[in-house]
Amino acid sequence: MKNKKEQINNSEPSMAVDIGGLILKNPLMTASGTFGYGKEYAPYIDINRLGALIVKGLSLEARKGNPPPRIMETPCGMLNAIGMENVGVRAFIDEKLPFLRSFDVAVIANIFGETINEYKKIAAILSTVEGIHGLEINISCPNVKRGGIAFGAHPDTAYEVTGAVKSFTDLPVIVKLTPNVGDIAEIAESVEAAGADAISLINTLTGMSVDIEQRAPHLKNITGGLSGPAIKPIALRMVWEVVNRVSIPVIGVGGIIDANDALEFLIVGARAVQIGTANFINPRATLDILEGIDNYLKRHHMKDINDLIGTLKDGR
Amino acid sequence: MSDVMSMVVGEIVLNRELVPRHFLMRVKLPASLAIPLPGQFVMVRIRGRIEPLLGRPLSIYAFERDKTALVIELLYRTMGKGTFALSRLKPGEDLEILGPLGHGFDIFPEIKKIVLLAGGIGVVPLSFLASHYRKLPTNDHRIIAYLGAKSADHIVGMDRLKETCTEIKISTDDGSSGYRGFVTELLAEDIESYLHGDSVIYACGPRAMMKRLAELLKDQDISCQVSVEERMACGVGACLGCAIHVKAGGDKTQYRCACQDGPVFDIRDIVWN
């Protein structure tokens, strides 16, 4: 028989977090573009245990994507230039969403447009269907000629897209920011002013890799988006900058491979984390990280993950 | 969930250089792993290392199974930092293995002439395929292998092919073994004998070889399946990194994933230019 103190210490910590009105059972999300439409990883992971599943970025019409080679490994990271290949929002609703509805998980649609009007239309379409719990506005993809980063690189256009999407949906809206800017906190303030319910950062950093024998870029697109552990310190710094400037929840993304990485983001102030490239190297990465956070909370006698978020001690 | 598969830990039991830059690796895995089919591959990572970051897709060369373990054989060529790191590993070290993955070769038991066209390390899935055909109950297939390599000291997989194939024809770029020239030229000399509905061609090798094969077969009535190679990150169709350009009816084309939709495709479905 355990005494009362031991019982408290051994009880499961609460992992629930509130992301702009969307209550998640835990802060572990799959980053868009790294988990397909969910079905690809369903044989490897119990999807019901995720906090949220963010699907591959959706455009109004299907997109073919960029020619191969599309990926290249770099030191502790990878470059990709997929080019927003996706089935289009209607095919997603008809062919992919029914499968996701069978799970008890928050499904967040990442949306992408070449014009503000396209963002509005996709938001309107997704807001009328059952099984979508939130939208993530992609204004940060570096691999397309039009749209994406073109909107996310300037506070005014970021404001405009966010406001436009907000006026066409009642769903919680997360805006995903690009690190390829001078002052990411300025963009964050702008999308907060436009009504964003939450912010996720960072998307990939634009990078390049050259085949010295061929004297040619490894990627057909020449440049690509860098992800993986190589970008984690940058992502962490940017999350820290942004949480100090906005009041809405911030979701940390960028190079999180294990629970220690995720804990750094939570301590700095991220209310949730997205796992991206780590899914590719370990389909169970999200759940392994979740278990690691759970162990950390128990080790530090914390009953609620919210007691940990934003507890960074300054001035060391 | 009972149907959740997972990445498994495999122990290296052999990792030996056969000819320069070509290594044979045997990996012991849990017996619960699905039996691989010819043309399938596994994603291989070195356990506990963050560098190289991504798994490497390696084609399955052979397998053995008993009640306690599944032992798979991987024959690979060092190409970059991932395969080089693999080549340094010793027996007893652990790998993380995801698989078997992908859509392998279609098997046609009723077709009696099985033609294999291998360029270099492309022999790996074709050798597995030949042994699969040899194990079919009928076992009356003529298996003819065309094996191309840069030079005599780059030829791998001959010992296994000798056990399964009826005939093996060799070509090398420098003429140091067999015919001097491209392996597709060697096949072209015999192609007439395969055009009577009783043959199927399977190919794996460099893109230039497969493109020449596509041109050779352009107006010929013979089915041909090819196994393609692309850089991959996930191996399961999530990252969309391993795009293969394929025809989609009329003048339309689209990208398919080498990992999930392939790595085996009909040669006529691929856009080679």
Side-chain angles (χ1 to χ4, degrees), chain B residues 25-37:
Chain B
M25 183 185 267
R26 287 171 66 86
V27 188
K28 192 175 171 184
L29 300 160
S32 56
L33 207 74
I35 289 183
L37 299 168

PDB file of all heavy atoms in Angstrom, chain B residues 25-37:
ATOM      1  N   MET B  25      26.061  -7.417 -46.389  1.00  0.00           N
ATOM      2  CA  MET B  25      25.715  -7.312 -44.972  1.00  0.00           C
ATOM      3  C   MET B  25      24.584  -8.286 -44.649  1.00  0.00           C
ATOM      4  O   MET B  25      23.635  -8.400 -45.414  1.00  0.00           O
ATOM      5  CB  MET B  25      25.269  -5.887 -44.660  1.00  0.00           C
ATOM      6  CG  MET B  25      24.953  -5.648 -43.192  1.00  0.00           C
ATOM      7  SD  MET B  25      24.283  -3.980 -42.933  1.00  0.00           S
ATOM      8  CE  MET B  25      25.773  -3.072 -42.549  1.00  0.00           C
ATOM      9  N   ARG B  26      24.759  -9.007 -43.533  1.00  0.00           N
ATOM     10  CA  ARG B  26      23.678  -9.858 -43.031  1.00  0.00           C
ATOM     11  C   ARG B  26      23.189  -9.257 -41.728  1.00  0.00           C
ATOM     12  O   ARG B  26      23.998  -8.914 -40.851  1.00  0.00           O
ATOM     13  CB  ARG B  26      24.184 -11.288 -42.804  1.00  0.00           C
ATOM     14  CG  ARG B  26      24.430 -12.062 -44.091  1.00  0.00           C
ATOM     15  CD  ARG B  26      25.133 -13.371 -43.825  1.00  0.00           C
ATOM     16  NE  ARG B  26      24.315 -14.306 -43.057  1.00  0.00           N
ATOM     17  CZ  ARG B  26      23.428 -15.143 -43.591  1.00  0.00           C
ATOM     18  NH1 ARG B  26      23.226 -15.174 -44.893  1.00  0.00           N
ATOM     19  NH2 ARG B  26      22.738 -15.963 -42.828  1.00  0.00           N
ATOM     20  N   VAL B  27      21.867  -9.116 -41.591  1.00  0.00           N
ATOM     21  CA  VAL B  27      21.274  -8.485 -40.411  1.00  0.00           C
ATOM     22  C   VAL B  27      20.224  -9.418 -39.814  1.00  0.00           C
ATOM     23  O   VAL B  27      19.324  -9.882 -40.512  1.00  0.00           O
ATOM     24  CB  VAL B  27      20.613  -7.132 -40.762  1.00  0.00           C
ATOM     25  CG1 VAL B  27      20.181  -6.408 -39.493  1.00  0.00           C
ATOM     26  CG2 VAL B  27      21.529  -6.265 -41.585  1.00  0.00           C
ATOM     27  N   LYS B  28      20.391  -9.664 -38.510  1.00  0.00           N
ATOM     28  CA  LYS B  28      19.448 -10.531 -37.790  1.00  0.00           C
ATOM     29  C   LYS B  28      18.334  -9.677 -37.194  1.00  0.00           C
ATOM     30  O   LYS B  28      18.593  -8.727 -36.456  1.00  0.00           O
ATOM     31  CB  LYS B  28      20.215 -11.258 -36.681  1.00  0.00           C
ATOM     32  CG  LYS B  28      19.477 -12.381 -36.036  1.00  0.00           C
ATOM     33  CD  LYS B  28      20.417 -13.070 -35.053  1.00  0.00           C
ATOM     34  CE  LYS B  28      19.641 -14.057 -34.215  1.00  0.00           C
ATOM     35  NZ  LYS B  28      20.489 -14.665 -33.186  1.00  0.00           N
ATOM     36  N   LEU B  29      17.094 -10.036 -37.534  1.00  0.00           N
ATOM     37  CA  LEU B  29      15.925  -9.251 -37.132  1.00  0.00           C
ATOM     38  C   LEU B  29      14.927 -10.140 -36.413  1.00  0.00           C
ATOM     39  O   LEU B  29      14.997 -11.367 -36.528  1.00  0.00           O
ATOM     40  CB  LEU B  29      15.261  -8.654 -38.386  1.00  0.00           C
ATOM     41  CG  LEU B  29      16.142  -7.729 -39.219  1.00  0.00           C
ATOM     42  CD1 LEU B  29      15.596  -7.597 -40.623  1.00  0.00           C
ATOM     43  CD2 LEU B  29      16.230  -6.370 -38.565  1.00  0.00           C
ATOM     44  N   PRO B  30      13.960  -9.531 -35.711  1.00  0.00           N
ATOM     45  CA  PRO B  30      12.936 -10.364 -35.058  1.00  0.00           C
ATOM     46  C   PRO B  30      12.159 -11.192 -36.087  1.00  0.00           C
ATOM     47  O   PRO B  30      11.885 -10.723 -37.195  1.00  0.00           O
ATOM     48  CB  PRO B  30      12.008  -9.334 -34.403  1.00  0.00           C
ATOM     49  CG  PRO B  30      12.796  -8.087 -34.311  1.00  0.00           C
ATOM     50  CD  PRO B  30      13.770  -8.104 -35.433  1.00  0.00           C
ATOM     51  N   ALA B  31      11.807 -12.402 -35.692  1.00  0.00           N
ATOM     52  CA  ALA B  31      11.095 -13.307 -36.612  1.00  0.00           C
ATOM     53  C   ALA B  31       9.723 -12.763 -36.983  1.00  0.00           C
ATOM     54  O   ALA B  31       9.136 -13.174 -37.980  1.00  0.00           O
ATOM     55  CB  ALA B  31      10.963 -14.683 -35.970  1.00  0.00           C
ATOM     56  N   SER B  32       9.222 -11.812 -36.179  1.00  0.00           N
ATOM     57  CA  SER B  32       7.879 -11.270 -36.434  1.00  0.00           C
ATOM     58  C   SER B  32       7.829 -10.361 -37.653  1.00  0.00           C
ATOM     59  O   SER B  32       6.756 -10.040 -38.152  1.00  0.00           O
ATOM     60  CB  SER B  32       7.408 -10.493 -35.204  1.00  0.00           C
ATOM     61  OG  SER B  32       8.344  -9.490 -34.880  1.00  0.00           O
ATOM     62  N   LEU B  33       8.969  -9.936 -38.127  1.00  0.00           N
ATOM     63  CA  LEU B  33       9.001  -9.048 -39.290  1.00  0.00           C
ATOM     64  C   LEU B  33       8.418  -9.769 -40.506  1.00  0.00           C
ATOM     65  O   LEU B  33       8.612 -10.971 -40.683  1.00  0.00           O
ATOM     66  CB  LEU B  33      10.446  -8.634 -39.585  1.00  0.00           C
ATOM     67  CG  LEU B  33      10.614  -7.283 -40.285  1.00  0.00           C
ATOM     68  CD1 LEU B  33      10.365  -6.139 -39.313  1.00  0.00           C
ATOM     69  CD2 LEU B  33      12.021  -7.149 -40.856  1.00  0.00           C
ATOM     70  N   ALA B  34       7.700  -9.019 -41.336  1.00  0.00           N
ATOM     71  CA  ALA B  34       7.080  -9.632 -42.520  1.00  0.00           C
ATOM     72  C   ALA B  34       8.150 -10.178 -43.468  1.00  0.00           C
ATOM     73  O   ALA B  34       9.237  -9.601 -43.591  1.00  0.00           O
ATOM     74  CB  ALA B  34       6.244  -8.589 -43.236  1.00  0.00           C
ATOM     75  N   ILE B  35       7.820 -11.266 -44.130  1.00  0.00           N
ATOM     76  CA  ILE B  35       8.748 -11.857 -45.098  1.00  0.00           C
ATOM     77  C   ILE B  35       8.864 -10.925 -46.303  1.00  0.00           C
ATOM     78  O   ILE B  35       7.853 -10.505 -46.859  1.00  0.00           O
ATOM     79  CB  ILE B  35       8.261 -13.253 -45.529  1.00  0.00           C
ATOM     80  CG1 ILE B  35       8.446 -14.211 -44.360  1.00  0.00           C
ATOM     81  CG2 ILE B  35       8.966 -13.740 -46.783  1.00  0.00           C
ATOM     82  CD1 ILE B  35       8.077 -15.631 -44.658  1.00  0.00           C
ATOM     83  N   PRO B  36      10.081 -10.573 -46.704  1.00  0.00           N
ATOM     84  CA  PRO B  36      10.216  -9.647 -47.827  1.00  0.00           C
ATOM     85  C   PRO B  36       9.891 -10.304 -49.165  1.00  0.00           C
ATOM     86  O   PRO B  36      10.076 -11.516 -49.337  1.00  0.00           O
ATOM     87  CB  PRO B  36      11.688  -9.236 -47.771  1.00  0.00           C
ATOM     88  CG  PRO B  36      12.375 -10.291 -47.001  1.00  0.00           C
ATOM     89  CD  PRO B  36      11.368 -10.923 -46.103  1.00  0.00           C
ATOM     90  N   LEU B  37       9.420  -9.472 -50.085  1.00  0.00           N
ATOM     91  CA  LEU B  37       9.137  -9.935 -51.450  1.00  0.00           C
ATOM     92  C   LEU B  37      10.198  -9.363 -52.387  1.00  0.00           C
ATOM     93  O   LEU B  37      10.756  -8.299 -52.112  1.00  0.00           O
ATOM     94  CB  LEU B  37       7.752  -9.455 -51.882  1.00  0.00           C
ATOM     95  CG  LEU B  37       6.588  -9.972 -51.028  1.00  0.00           C
ATOM     96  CD1 LEU B  37       5.308  -9.208 -51.339  1.00  0.00           C
ATOM     97  CD2 LEU B  37       6.408 -11.469 -51.247  1.00  0.00           C
TER      98      LEU B  37
END
